[in-house]
Amino acid sequence: MSVHNVKGVTPALAHVFVLESTQRELAREAERRAREQVELEKRAVELARWQETLEGRISLALSHTGAELVNWRRNGQRQAVVRYRVAGRRFECVIDTESLQIMDAGICLSGTDEELNLSSLPSAVREAIESGQLHVFRNV
């Protein structure tokens, strides 16, 4: 909207109109940013809550290594079977649900399964793939 086509508008009145229009636009922008900030904070709270769940902890542990959670299911009181993807291949392991320690890696680790956790297993899988030493025991 402009006052340039309105007859009899003084320069001072035109200036006041521009200032008022600018203030209104700035107020609308501030309201939009405030709504965006509230939405971002709400999503951050939801994400933090989700990361406290077992699924969130599993997904976060895998994502730090570039692996992707496919699915998971409980396998007893303190165990879960986790299916994940690394380097385009799917793998399965059994973890302790409290510590995320590996109970059964699903691949040959020469008896060192329990030395790894869900954050370190994908790196071991990648290393085994790269060295040609990958032997899978759990077919997915």
Side-chain angles (χ1 to χ4, degrees):
M1 186 169 188
S2 174
V3 294
H4 295 297
N5 298 332
V6 179
K7 291 185 180 190
V9 175
T10 65
L13 185 57
H15 185 70
V16 169
F17 178 79
V18 169
L19 286 175
E20 183 63 29
S21 296
T22 302
Q23 284 181 331
R24 286 181 184 179
E25 186 59 36
L26 289 173
R28 282 193 290 270
E29 179 64 17
E31 288 174 12
R32 183 190 66 76
R33 287 184 180 184
R35 285 191 306 272
E36 262 182 16
Q37 184 62 34
V38 167
E39 188 60 33
L40 284 173
E41 290 170 3
K42 181 179 169 186
R43 279 189 251 155
V45 167
E46 289 172 359
L47 178 61
R49 250 189 239 131
W50 177 74
Q51 288 175 343
E52 291 173 359
T53 67
L54 179 56
E55 180 173 354
R57 290 174 50 231
I58 290 170
S59 184
L60 188 62
L62 290 171
S63 70
H64 285 308
T65 61
E68 175 189 358
L69 175 62
V70 175
N71 61 38
W72 70 279
R73 63 179 162 73
R74 286 203 179 268
N75 185 27
Q77 287 290 86
R78 284 190 51 165
Q79 291 186 0
V81 176
V82 176
R83 290 187 175 154
Y84 61 100
R85 186 173 290 116
V86 170
R89 295 179 62 180
R90 288 172 58 147
F91 298 93
E92 181 178 278
C93 65
V94 177
I95 62 165
D96 175 274
T97 56
E98 297 299 314
S99 65
L100 302 185
Q101 287 297 121
I102 302 299
M103 309 298 286
D104 177 357
I107 64 171
C108 178
L109 292 173
S110 301
T112 61
D113 296 35
E114 293 177 4
E115 292 178 16
L116 299 175
N117 62 34
L118 200 52
S119 293
S120 58
L121 179 60
S123 296
V125 169
R126 274 192 199 88
E127 186 177 317
I129 291 170
E130 291 169 3
S131 68
Q133 300 295 315
L134 180 67
H135 300 286
V136 178
F137 293 136
R138 290 176 157 269
N139 290 318
V140 182

